[in-house]
Amino acid sequence: MPAVSKGDGMRGLAVFISDIRNCKSKEAEIKRINKELANIRSKFKGDKALDGYSKKKYVCKLLFIFLLGHDIDFGHMEAVNLLSSNKYTEKQIGYLFISVLVNSNSELIRLINNAIKNDLSSRNPTFMCLALHCIANVGSREMAEAFASEIPRILVAGDTMDSVKQSAALCLLRLYKTSPDLVLMGEWTSRVVHLLNDQHMGVVTAAISLITCLSQKNPDEFKTCVSLAVSRLSRIVSSASTDLQDYTYYFVPAPWLSCKLLRLLQCYPPPEDGAVKGRLVECLETILNKAQEPPKSKKVQHSNAKNAILFEAISLIIHYDSEPNLLVRACNQLGQFLQHRETNLRYLALESMCTLASSEFSHEAVKTHIETVINALKTERDVSVRQRAADLLYAMCDRSNAKQIVAEMLSYLETADYSIREEMVLKVAILAEKYAVDYSWYVDTILNLIRIAGDYVSEEVWYRVIQIVINRDDVQGYAAKTVFEALQAPACHENMVKVGGYILGEFGNLIAGDPRSSPLVQFNLLHSKFHLCSVPTRALLLSAYIKFINLFPETKATIQEVLRCDSQIRNSDVELQQRAVEYLKLSSIASTDVLATVLEEMPPFPERESSILAKLKKKKGPGAVSVTELDDSKREAGELNGGADRGPDTASTPSPSADLLGIRSAAPVGAAQTNAGSLLVDVFSDSGPAAPSAAVNDDGFLRFVCKNNGVLFENQLLQIGIKSEYRQNLGRMYLFYGNKTSVQFASFSTTVSCPGELQLNVQSKPVEPLVEGGAQIQQVLNIECITDFCDAPLLNIKFSRYGGALQNLTLKLPVTINKFFQPTEMSSSDFFQRWKQLSQPQQEAQKIFKANHSMDTEVLKAKLLGLGTALLDNVDPNPENYVCAGVIQTKGQQIGCLLRLEPNAQAQMYRLTLRCSKDTVSKRLCELLAQQF
Amino acid sequence: MIKFVLMVNRQGQTRLSRYYHSVELSRRAALEADVVRYCLSRKKDQCSFVEYKDFKLVYRQYAALYIVVGITDSELSIYELVHNFVEVLDKYFSRVIMFNLDRVHIILDEMIQNGHIVETNKSRILAPLTTIDKMVDS
């Protein structure tokens, strides 16, 4: 056994590390590190050239300091120098430093690329591997550009060493993920697939990762990998192959390779070729059989490795979802694991069974394990295992066992960990609703939920129970009775008060016949909770009171007295005060008929997907902020869209308003009632198709003064792109409306209006009223410039989602006067002659302003050309200045314009001067342009 | 796919970290602290897989040293991979590995590249190191 403390070990480094280890405090450690950093810095800056060994030592120290969590901002150059060393250890440290510390956009990439190029052509396999590792780790665009064509060649060349092939495969995978456009498919692709047949297991292991990724992106091109993978797997599983070398791990042949093969197969549907399929099924059966055989070793490593393969095989069986026999066998195997003494296995079995439960073939088989799973929920000592058990119960639930499962989940809730309560509550609520045969059970369940875990009952849950009660008249009486009883408890959760207030306000009359729940008793019960509740709940209760006045005239006097009392009518909360005042007035002025109309029972809610389900989906979605933002999959556009779709904030989903009477924002009751008719009012959206909202895209508008194409507007729902072209006084603008969500936009309509009189004439055809989720529609506008103008036309867009909240959006269209410029070339003398002709004070507009953007010459030139004028060279005596000339074409006249822009780079200022034959044009152009530079 | 490999001691100090997707330095410290907190607080009878944000942590404890791997795919094979890694370290080193972090990195790089398993055969994992040692000896 080699003791690694040889002469090669860097003594200075060892001393430094043990110093750090001996530091008693964080401060001491930082002090020691700073001292070392200063030392290294002076060594690097010193006049004496360092030899390779010292460079290596210092770079190694820096690396160590970095790993301790300190930022390193120097030493990169020295590391790059090490790359060209001929000593492996020096080169290796150099590469290690670079792959750990250099990010992909470093300026050093070019130097690094050079070193890599040398190493790749060195024919020395260890050097080649180091270089390939480095590309695989850094993988920047520039590296891809330099090596994307080279790597496939190395990978498939006959004379490449095995270890180099392994690195090349992973390196290519990286480049393919970061710059897929640069990795061109070609003759090598078919040869890559054949690496699955390579006699060297390490090469196969590495190549599978690459092939899996390529197959996911281009399934058809790589289809042949299926049969190759099956035959490889079959040879390993049946231990027929003699090429296992040292890849056997605790008597299990090549466990990691087997797992990767099984995973690759999960990219494809079951093989069509009967022979291949037969062979694969045989493999899967063998794997299942082996699980039943007595272990070849008592070591846990043996069984873990064996089970790793087994779980991967079961995933494949579930993925195919077509072999009932295998599915049931898998389920039975997992059932055994449910009672295994290894926690890890129980966890994985629960997790895997969860997916089995959704297959029609194995659903029944999964259900037979219900008692074990319930037991796990009750007795497992690890919360993550209990969580899996709860997930599995949720997945295996159907009409036959819903009552049992819901009851178990409810009783578990009483002791459940705080971290999973909210999710449990949602699940119980969903199951109760989904499998409710009689709705009294449903009402009981939800009220129990509120009682047990009131704090975790989100709004969606209690809104939902109210929606259902309102829509089903067979349960209303029962609901009223049950909430009445629930409210009797000395301490009840505020959510219970909300549900109680709402339901009694609507259906209290159904139980009022019983003297034990007479109107006054009901009222007193509700009012006894009033003072313990938060403002929104109190507001809801006040609404319930006015409903009581309508339902039970005999309570009128009592309630009026309550409303009249100072704590209501003079409440410091505006909302409460206003309600008290208005309800009091309403109850005393309005006739019984009017009262009955205004306070009529809520109409049924339209049926729609349960908002709770939507909430659970959202919770499960990968919305959480995480370190995996750079995860490759998210770069795919599809995912991005999906993400955006999951995002759409509560603001735009028609969420039931907190105020179920639909009386919010202090609107007079009468007016509010019309809103209430349209069910739960979306409090967040612009209510009603009211006055056009102000244009929201001022920035967007200004970005288009010097360009014609781009994205005009974007939010979470909608993206609007424009393309436009102009000739003379005419223009054509293409608008592209993209629906970023997965939900259809209905009643989509747009209108264009031009402020000002007859300055612009814009014509358009109406757009399709429906925009499907993810779709884009196009609209063409024809624009004619009648005379010069200042105000841009406005585009108003209206649409609704889910048939609910109306979205109303007004944008300024980027049609500006400069779009109608014709460039005019002229000589220096002509320019100044005309400049002098336009010398009346009102013809000139001038502004001096600070630079907001880069003052780079090329950027400025591009902008001035984008403006539409001709950029005149050699006109201004000062070469730093820019002069332009053009003619604006309107229907009635032509307006000549001259422009001069004088940058002052030191002061970061500009002076802009415009002279036009029409004074309004000078002013407008000056305003527009002053915000461009 | 493997997102990162961490070696931390019981005091929560990171002894080795290798990331296979880019994470800013400032966020690494926070992530490591978080991950360590998650794993160290767990008892022996709890399972070795923890859901963390949108991926999973697989961890194993060896005396005072914890090895934590962030993954998105099969837990059990990574769990055993960690053990394989430790066995390789055992086979190679006879003393504290802290003094030879560069070599631990070489070993890890031979086993995992770019977040994927590339080699599991112990002698082949150690091949480059053996070459170096031979060069030094001669």
Side-chain angles (χ1 to χ4, degrees):
Chain A
M1 206 170 274
V4 186
S5 55
K6 312 198 160 110
D8 174 62
M10 294 161 275
R11 232 187 82 74
L13 179 66
V15 170
F16 174 58
I17 294 177
S18 50
D19 278 3
I20 294 286
R21 279 165 66 98
N22 292 333
C23 282
K24 293 277 179 288
S25 65
K26 191 79 196 163
E27 289 71 33
E29 184 184 306
I30 291 174
K31 209 171 148 197
R32 179 68 186 86
I33 285 170
N34 284 338
K35 188 180 149 202
E36 194 60 44
L37 285 175
N39 173 40
I40 299 171
R41 219 183 281 265
S42 73
K43 283 287 187 320
F44 283 167
K45 280 206 182 129
D47 315 324
K48 224 172 68 193
L50 293 172
D51 60 5
Y53 170 78
S54 322
K55 250 188 236 163
K56 177 181 84 167
K57 185 175 75 185
Y58 294 128
V59 168
C60 212
K61 280 183 179 174
L62 288 179
L63 200 53
F64 180 75
I65 293 171
F66 176 77
L67 291 175
L68 288 174
H70 300 265
D71 208 358
I72 298 294
D73 54 3
F74 67 102
H76 299 74
M77 205 54 205
E78 285 73 16
V80 172
N81 285 340
L82 284 176
L83 297 185
S84 42
S85 162
N86 275 325
K87 290 206 176 106
Y88 179 85
T89 50
E90 288 170 17
K91 202 186 265 292
Q92 189 262 336
I93 291 292
Y95 273 122
L96 182 59
F97 184 92
I98 281 158
S99 52
V100 173
L101 260 140
V102 174
N103 54 15
S104 44
N105 48 19
S106 164
E107 295 147 16
L108 293 171
I109 291 282
R110 214 157 291 163
L111 291 171
I112 298 169
N113 273 359
N114 253 336
I116 291 176
K117 198 164 281 169
N118 289 336
D119 282 333
L120 283 185
S121 51
S122 71
R123 318 287 300 160
N124 175 336
T126 41
F127 288 4
M128 287 174 85
C129 279
L130 283 178
L132 290 166
H133 280 205
C134 182
I135 304 176
N137 283 320
V138 179
S140 67
R141 181 88 194 159
E142 273 178 301
M143 281 192 176
E145 276 162 4
F147 303 110
S149 54
E150 173 93 1
I151 311 292
R153 208 183 44 71
I154 297 178
L155 178 59
V156 297
D159 57 346
T160 307
M161 301 272 292
D162 293 330
S163 57
V164 178
K165 274 190 194 166
Q166 283 171 285
S167 301
L170 268 301
C171 176
L172 190 55
L173 170 60
R174 172 64 181 246
L175 297 186
Y176 184 71
K177 278 187 176 171
T178 45
S179 314
D181 54 316
L182 294 177
V183 180
L184 303 173
M185 298 295 143
E187 182 249 351
W188 62 273
T189 37
S190 62
R191 298 178 63 182
V192 160
V193 176
H194 283 275
L195 289 177
L196 286 172
N197 257 339
D198 198 285
Q199 54 172 329
H200 194 281
M201 306 279 264
V203 173
V204 189
T205 308
I208 292 181
S209 292
L210 174 63
I211 296 168
T212 306
C213 175
L214 291 168
S215 308
Q216 281 162 347
K217 298 276 165 60
N218 329 278
D220 286 340
E221 277 174 71
F222 289 88
K223 228 169 23 196
T224 45
C225 74
V226 173
S227 62
L228 289 169
V230 169
S231 67
R232 189 81 201 204
L233 180 69
S234 157
R235 270 182 285 155
I236 298 171
V237 169
S238 60
S239 308
S241 45
T242 48
D243 58 351
L244 286 171
Q245 299 145 2
D246 287 328
Y247 287 85
T248 302
Y249 179 81
Y250 289 90
F251 304 103
V252 181
W256 292 284
L257 179 53
S258 308
C259 285
K260 286 179 99 172
L261 285 165
L262 287 162
R263 209 156 248 273
L264 169 61
L265 290 172
Q266 287 173 51
C267 301
Y268 287 93
E272 284 155 17
D273 181 333
V276 177
K277 187 168 181 190
R279 205 164 173 198
L280 178 57
V281 169
E282 210 172 283
C283 278
L284 295 171
E285 277 171 345
T286 313
I287 295 171
L288 284 165
N289 290 340
K290 279 191 180 170
Q292 298 297 329
E293 287 167 12
K296 291 191 180 127
S297 154
K298 288 234 155 35
K299 292 256 187 195
V300 68
Q301 284 80 12
H302 170 71
S303 57
N304 277 343
K306 210 164 81 171
N307 292 331
I309 302 174
L310 178 62
F311 277 111
E312 212 56 77
I314 292 177
S315 299
L316 182 63
I317 293 171
I318 297 171
H319 168 76
Y320 286 164
D321 197 13
S322 61
E323 300 285 325
N325 171 37
L326 288 175
L327 282 161
V328 171
R329 282 194 66 185
C331 181
N332 294 339
Q333 182 59 53
L334 293 175
Q336 287 183 16
F337 285 151
L338 287 183
Q339 319 216 29
H340 202 278
R341 66 191 152 76
E342 284 270 324
T343 315
N344 288 346
L345 282 185
R346 295 198 302 276
Y347 174 92
L348 293 173
L350 287 166
E351 184 180 59
S352 189
M353 225 180 215
C354 223
T355 39
L356 266 182
S358 55
S359 160
E360 53 171 320
F361 301 113
S362 49
H363 184 79
E364 287 303 317
V366 171
K367 274 167 63 184
T368 59
H369 299 286
I370 184 165
E371 297 302 334
T372 321
V373 182
I374 287 173
N375 199 36
L377 187 65
K378 285 177 176 162
T379 58
E380 280 290 351
R381 296 169 67 179
D382 181 349
V383 53
S384 41
V385 184
R386 289 198 296 273
Q387 169 87 60
R388 289 287 86 80
D391 286 348
L392 178 52
L393 283 180
Y394 178 74
M396 67 161 74
C397 189
D398 61 19
R399 232 170 256 291
S400 72
N401 55 17
K403 285 200 175 169
Q404 185 189 7
I405 287 179
V406 166
E408 291 296 344
M409 286 175 119
L410 271 176
S411 74
Y412 172 61
L413 250 181
E414 306 212 28
T415 53
D417 311 77
Y418 295 109
S419 53
I420 65 172
R421 280 196 183 183
E422 189 181 354
E423 199 181 317
M424 289 286 294
V425 167
L426 288 175
K427 285 184 166 160
V428 170
I430 289 167
L431 292 180
E433 181 186 337
K434 200 163 158 195
Y435 299 115
V437 187
D438 67 296
Y439 278 85
S440 52
W441 173 71
Y442 169 74
V443 170
D444 282 342
T445 305
I446 301 297
L447 293 186
N448 267 332
L449 260 189
I450 297 177
R451 195 161 39 224
I452 295 169
D455 283 343
Y456 298 90
V457 172
S458 55
E459 296 191 323
E460 286 84 352
V461 173
W462 73 262
Y463 291 162
R464 189 69 186 159
V465 69
I466 282 170
Q467 288 178 6
I468 287 178
V469 169
I470 297 226
N471 288 9
R472 302 200 61 96
D473 39 22
D474 52 336
V475 76
Q476 289 161 355
Y478 181 80
K481 181 165 158 283
T482 324
V483 286
F484 178 77
E485 279 160 11
L487 286 173
Q488 307 275 353
C492 59
H493 195 273
E494 190 165 337
N495 280 336
M496 188 70 89
V497 179
K498 287 181 186 162
V499 176
Y502 195 92
I503 289 185
L504 292 181
E506 294 288 332
F507 309 114
N509 55 331
L510 299 177
I511 56 168
D514 188 329
R516 283 169 299 176
S517 52
S518 71
L520 221 49
V521 174
Q522 288 186 36
F523 171 73
N524 286 333
L525 181 60
L526 279 182
H527 198 54
S528 68
K529 316 283 180 197
F530 187 90
H531 301 281
L532 301 169
C533 292
S534 62
V535 168
T537 310
R538 289 187 191 192
L540 186 149
L541 284 178
L542 288 179
S543 301
Y545 296 171
I546 186 73
K547 290 226 156 192
F548 266 46
I549 292 184
N550 177 44
L551 288 179
F552 318 116
E554 66 264 40
T555 59
K556 185 169 169 179
T558 321
I559 291 175
Q560 281 184 333
E561 199 175 316
V562 167
L563 292 176
R564 205 176 289 126
C565 106
D566 272 359
S567 63
Q568 307 296 357
I569 212 156
R570 302 230 167 108
N571 195 297
S572 59
D573 185 273
V574 179
E575 177 70 27
L576 292 181
Q577 190 189 98
Q578 180 155 7
R579 284 191 190 213
V581 172
E582 285 174 358
Y583 291 163
L584 185 61
K585 264 285 179 271
L586 181 69
S587 68
S588 38
I589 295 173
S591 70
T592 334
D593 287 351
V594 171
L595 212 56
T597 318
V598 173
L599 300 169
E600 202 180 359
E601 193 179 297
M602 288 290 285
F605 293 92
E607 282 306 324
R608 66 166 87 147
E609 187 194 26
S610 164
S611 50
I612 315 176
L613 205 57
K615 167 135 181 172
L616 186 69
K617 280 182 198 158
K618 200 162 139 189
K619 238 177 114 63
K620 285 274 170 183
V625 187
S626 71
V627 287
T628 53
E629 281 163 349
L630 291 168
D631 193 0
D632 336 282
S633 61
K634 288 200 183 149
R635 297 213 188 104
E636 294 162 36
E639 264 294 307
L640 276 176
N641 284 340
D645 175 40
R646 235 170 273 116
D649 54 349
T650 35
S652 48
T653 335
S655 71
S657 132
D659 185 340
L660 291 147
L661 286 174
I663 306 168
R664 185 76 183 189
S665 64
V669 183
Q673 194 62 29
T674 54
N675 270 351
S678 71
L679 107 99
L680 304 169
V681 180
D682 185 350
V683 289
F684 300 106
S685 74
D686 297 344
S687 49
S693 45
V696 292
N697 66 328
D698 261 338
D699 296 336
F701 171 77
L702 284 170
R703 274 191 291 114
F704 285 90
V705 170
C706 295
K707 65 175 187 174
N708 286 334
N709 306 327
V711 175
L712 177 64
F713 173 81
E714 181 157 25
N715 66 10
Q716 280 160 319
L717 307 176
L718 183 70
Q719 186 193 53
I720 304 174
I722 59 166
K723 250 174 117 168
S724 42
E725 50 200 25
Y726 294 90
R727 262 192 76 213
Q728 310 268 347
N729 69 325
L730 299 177
R732 179 170 291 166
M733 181 179 280
Y734 298 86
L735 290 158
F736 302 90
Y737 305 96
N739 179 348
K740 287 170 64 184
T741 73
S742 56
V743 185
Q744 189 189 59
F745 290 164
S747 354
F748 192 93
S749 71
T750 66
T751 40
V752 178
S753 55
C754 302
E757 282 177 31
L758 292 176
Q759 295 169 330
L760 275 178
N761 178 9
V762 181
Q763 287 182 334
S764 60
K765 282 207 182 103
V767 286
E768 290 293 323
L770 291 182
V771 189
E772 294 299 338
Q776 191 186 58
I777 56 166
Q778 184 187 338
Q779 184 178 31
V780 185
L781 304 182
N782 287 313
I783 302 162
E784 187 186 10
C785 178
I786 313 280
T787 163
D788 68 294
F789 62 98
C790 286
D791 294 329
L794 296 173
L795 172 71
N796 179 259
I797 301 153
K798 291 194 183 101
F799 60 94
S800 60
R801 305 173 63 216
Y802 303 111
L806 186 74
Q807 304 282 331
N808 187 355
L809 190 73
T810 305
L811 301 173
K812 268 193 203 174
L813 282 176
V815 181
T816 44
I817 183 71
N818 63 291
K819 299 292 180 195
F820 303 95
F821 257 128
Q822 292 285 110
T824 319
E825 292 290 347
M826 55 180 79
S827 67
S828 178
S829 56
D830 283 346
F831 182 86
F832 283 108
Q833 192 188 348
R834 293 191 195 191
W835 185 262
K836 279 183 198 123
Q837 281 167 3
L838 298 168
S839 59
Q840 291 171 30
Q842 67 269 29
Q843 284 175 328
E844 184 186 271
Q846 188 174 71
K847 247 191 182 144
I848 297 171
F849 54 92
K850 253 200 136 29
N852 286 319
H853 303 282
S854 157
M855 293 184 82
D856 177 53
T857 322
E858 292 310 311
V859 177
L860 284 178
K861 278 188 181 163
K863 280 186 182 166
L864 288 168
L865 286 172
L867 185 67
T869 51
L871 182 60
L872 306 177
D873 284 327
N874 306 323
V875 169
D876 198 289
N878 181 348
E880 301 296 324
N881 294 345
Y882 301 91
V883 292
C884 304
V887 177
I888 289 175
Q889 307 272 349
T890 70
K891 194 180 178 191
Q893 66 182 137
Q894 299 193 334
I895 306 157
C897 304
L898 301 176
L899 175 154
R900 189 172 187 207
L901 183 69
E902 300 160 82
N904 180 340
Q906 260 142 18
Q908 290 285 303
M909 300 284 281
Y910 290 104
R911 179 161 68 189
L912 173 71
T913 316
L914 274 144
R915 288 190 178 184
C916 303
S917 55
K918 198 164 175 187
D919 49 359
T920 48
V921 175
S922 301
K923 274 206 202 72
R924 180 60 185 156
L925 280 175
C926 194
E927 278 164 21
L928 283 173
L929 289 176
Q931 298 175 71
Q932 295 300 315
F933 300 103
Chain B
M1 150 131 196
I2 300 167
K3 292 184 167 287
F4 56 80
V5 177
L6 293 180
M7 288 169 92
V8 277
N9 63 15
R10 214 197 284 277
Q11 288 78 46
Q13 292 164 307
T14 305
R15 284 308 177 215
L16 176 137
S17 66
R18 196 81 169 92
Y19 287 84
Y20 300 103
H21 66 298
S22 68
V23 178
E24 280 167 40
L25 186 67
S26 56
R27 294 182 54 192
R28 286 186 189 193
L31 173 77
E32 285 165 22
D34 220 21
V35 162
V36 167
R37 197 170 46 80
Y38 261 68
C39 296
L40 264 60
S41 63
R42 295 172 65 83
K43 298 189 197 73
K44 276 250 160 72
D45 61 351
Q46 298 193 306
C47 79
S48 320
F49 318 125
V50 192
E51 273 186 59
Y52 178 79
K53 301 202 171 155
D54 58 349
F55 55 98
K56 280 193 174 152
L57 304 174
V58 172
Y59 71 94
R60 275 187 103 136
Q61 186 187 353
Y62 293 91
L65 188 72
Y66 284 79
I67 299 181
V68 188
V69 189
I71 56 158
T72 54
D73 49 19
S74 48
E75 298 94 341
L76 211 48
S77 72
I78 301 298
Y79 184 73
E80 269 327 299
L81 186 77
V82 170
H83 189 73
N84 198 19
F85 173 54
V86 170
E87 285 186 357
V88 175
L89 295 181
D90 247 12
K91 186 171 170 188
Y92 184 74
F93 293 107
S94 56
R95 43 176 284 182
V96 191
I97 55 171
M98 267 293 279
F99 293 103
N100 295 289
L101 270 186
D102 52 330
R103 279 158 201 258
V104 180
H105 267 287
I106 297 183
I107 292 176
L108 194 58
D109 277 354
E110 286 301 315
M111 296 184 72
I112 303 172
Q113 277 172 37
N114 194 4
H116 295 266
I117 305 173
V118 278
E119 187 57 78
T120 56
N121 173 339
K122 293 193 185 71
S123 43
R124 285 186 43 90
I125 293 168
L126 289 176
L129 284 178
T130 332
T131 325
I132 300 174
D133 293 334
K134 274 199 196 114
M135 286 191 312
V136 174
D137 285 339
S138 56

